[in-house]
Amino acid sequence: MDQLRETLKVHHLRTTTCREDVLSTFINRKNALSHGDLEGELGENYDRVTIYRTLKTFLEKGIIHKVLDDEGLRYALCSHSCSEEKHQHDHIHFKCSSCGETNCLENLHIPAVQLPEGYHPEHFNLLIQGVCPKCN
């Protein structure tokens, strides 16, 4: 509980039970989660709009980042270096074709890409699909 409250405090957020529960779910699951995943786990206590607003706030404050996979939008915890002003998540995401989990591979950065003249990248997203170590 202290880690949850400290994370919220560092990001200048008031502690609420919903914020604690959503953050706890990310910490305990350790993989990228969709809004539907969170609604499935927390839907008895919070409606979908409350969960959505919590995700939006966490995105804005640098607690989580977006992960796009073949099923749509997911969210994952940011590394400790992210803040409201600067998101640092130019790493690779891996989706297991067996268990369906999508994980951040923080130590593997997206390789540099030389874009044609006139193109200016704003965000990078690289998803690799295969079999994770748990399912291998």
Side-chain angles (χ1 to χ4, degrees), residues 26-41:
F26 276 108
I27 290 169
N28 292 332
R29 293 278 298 271
K30 296 180 174 75
N31 60 296
L33 302 171
S34 68
H35 178 271
D37 294 334
L38 290 164
E39 194 176 2
E41 286 206 28

Side-chain angles (χ1 to χ4, degrees), residues 11-136:
H11 289 88
H12 309 290
L13 287 172
R14 193 171 42 89
T15 299
T16 66
T17 55
C18 182
R19 288 176 179 167
E20 286 182 340
D21 288 348
V22 169
L23 188 54
S24 176
T25 303
F26 276 108
I27 290 169
N28 292 332
R29 293 278 298 271
K30 296 180 174 75
N31 60 296
L33 302 171
S34 68
H35 178 271
D37 294 334
L38 290 164
E39 194 176 2
E41 286 206 28
L42 305 172
E44 290 182 17
N45 300 319
Y46 311 104
D47 63 41
R48 68 179 304 129
V49 174
T50 302
I51 293 171
Y52 172 78
R53 287 184 182 146
T54 300
L55 290 171
K56 186 174 185 285
T57 299
F58 283 5
L59 270 171
E60 292 169 354
K61 293 292 187 175
I63 296 174
I64 61 174
H65 65 276
K66 292 179 181 179
V67 177
L68 298 174
D69 70 14
D70 61 337
E71 293 180 21
L73 181 60
R74 294 182 183 275
Y75 305 90
L77 282 176
C78 287
S79 66
H80 298 291
S81 61
C82 286
S83 68
E84 189 171 355
E85 297 80 31
K86 182 181 175 207
H87 272 280
Q88 178 102 10
H89 52 87
D90 58 346
H91 55 266
I92 294 172
H93 298 106
F94 187 92
K95 176 155 186 188
C96 180
S97 56
S98 184
C99 67
E101 286 188 2
T102 300
N103 291 285
C104 295
L105 302 179
E106 297 277 351
N107 296 328
L108 295 176
H109 295 280
I110 296 174
V113 175
Q114 186 68 30
L115 294 174
E117 187 176 329
Y119 289 88
H120 303 282
E122 293 179 358
H123 302 283
F124 293 91
N125 186 31
L126 178 60
L127 178 71
I128 297 176
Q129 297 181 357
V131 181
C132 73
K134 287 190 316 188
C135 297
N136 207 355

